[in-house]
Amino acid sequence: MASTDTVKRAEQLVETSMKENDASHDASHVWRVRDLALSLAREEGLSNPDSMEIVELAALLHDIGDYKYLRDPSEEKLVENFLEEEGIAESKKIKILSIIKGMGFKDELAGGGNQEFPPEFGVVQDADRLDAIGAIGIARCFTFGGNRNRVLHDPAIRPRSDLSKEQYMKKEEQTTVNHFHEKLLKLKDLMKTKAGLRRAEKRHKFMEEFLKEFYEEWDGKA
């Protein structure tokens, strides 16, 4: 894993740069992703110290400069500048930045998911996606929707299908519940690792059960 001092400074960067985000994309989300990524890496047999360092730092830094929360263009360079200041080896820096740049759902929509990827990428992306589904994922989804003043549910607004990257990133009016159908329910089948898929299956089922109950209560049937 990464050196203790570098990890501490990365954690400090997370806390300072993400302190104004809502609770769906806050420091606690990052800590969960880091813990999940390291756990998945061990299950996948990534015991190499260099691999574990890449996994930990990519997981810690993955949401800094996220386009959804960008307040200043300079924030897009925070991660790269941090890695340079920490003296991270060039080969590791390239891998970390590549993981962060390519792990988003929007990049999968653009065809990035069809490319070959290193094992470190798979465990970090799977960890981030695991935190987007299940009980935590449901809580995060409604937190984000509430923060953006989205309608909870409107049967007249249908989920968008076959989304492109551009359509996904557009800030057009959409309901919170539709996000389950447009993204969250698709994540299980996009897992890159066997360990990630095992965990995703349980979380996916929980979301399906939640939505079934939600619709029944919405319609006054439960």
Side-chain angles (χ1 to χ4, degrees), residues 1-205:
M1 296 195 292
S3 75
T4 303
D5 289 342
T6 295
V7 167
K8 283 183 178 178
R9 285 189 285 270
E11 290 171 344
Q12 290 168 356
L13 181 61
V14 168
E15 290 176 340
T16 56
S17 63
M18 299 176 68
K19 63 183 178 182
E20 295 181 23
N21 292 7
D22 64 80
S24 70
H25 292 79
D26 62 359
S28 292
H29 160 65
V30 173
W31 310 151
R32 292 192 302 271
V33 171
R34 185 255 305 270
D35 292 344
L36 278 167
L38 292 174
S39 177
L40 293 177
R42 287 188 284 267
E43 286 185 47
E44 291 290 309
L46 288 181
S47 57
N48 182 298
D50 287 340
S51 290
M52 296 300 275
E53 179 179 23
I54 290 166
V55 166
E56 183 164 22
L57 289 177
L60 281 171
L61 304 170
H62 81 278
D63 261 348
I64 294 175
D66 184 346
Y67 77 98
K68 297 187 293 297
Y69 296 90
L70 210 59
R71 288 168 278 269
D72 186 285
S74 65
E75 294 177 6
E76 294 180 313
K77 286 286 187 180
L78 282 174
V79 173
E80 188 172 351
N81 292 341
F82 172 81
L83 295 174
E84 288 179 1
E85 290 167 4
E86 289 297 315
I88 301 300
E90 187 67 17
S91 60
K92 292 180 184 176
K93 186 179 79 172
I94 290 171
K95 274 193 173 184
I96 291 167
L97 292 173
S98 176
I99 290 170
I100 293 170
K101 184 179 179 181
M103 64 186 279
F105 184 67
K106 66 184 187 303
D107 302 295
E108 194 106 24
L109 293 173
N114 297 323
Q115 302 171 6
E116 289 189 13
F117 54 87
E120 297 91 349
F121 176 90
V123 297
V124 177
Q125 186 186 63
D126 280 6
D128 189 40
R129 290 180 169 180
L130 283 170
D131 204 58
I133 60 179
I136 291 286
I138 291 169
R140 291 181 64 216
C141 183
F142 284 103
T143 297
F144 183 82
N147 180 262
R148 300 301 166 100
N149 293 316
R150 286 183 177 169
V151 174
L152 192 64
H153 175 52
D154 184 344
I157 302 176
R158 305 298 300 168
R160 298 167 296 177
S161 59
D162 300 319
L163 282 174
S164 66
K165 177 180 178 180
E166 291 70 28
Q167 288 172 320
Y168 178 75
M169 293 177 70
K170 276 177 67 176
K171 294 180 172 62
E172 67 180 59
E173 201 60 39
Q174 193 50 264
T175 73
T176 295
V177 168
N178 279 356
H179 190 62
F180 285 89
H181 300 284
E182 294 179 354
K183 177 183 177 180
L184 306 187
L185 290 170
K186 298 178 180 180
L187 295 181
K188 174 178 70 71
D189 293 332
L190 295 175
M191 291 287 155
K192 301 292 192 299
T193 68
K194 291 180 180 178
L197 179 58
R198 281 195 298 271
R199 300 193 192 197
E201 286 172 343
K202 178 184 176 183
R203 297 186 184 215
H204 181 87
K205 183 179 179 182

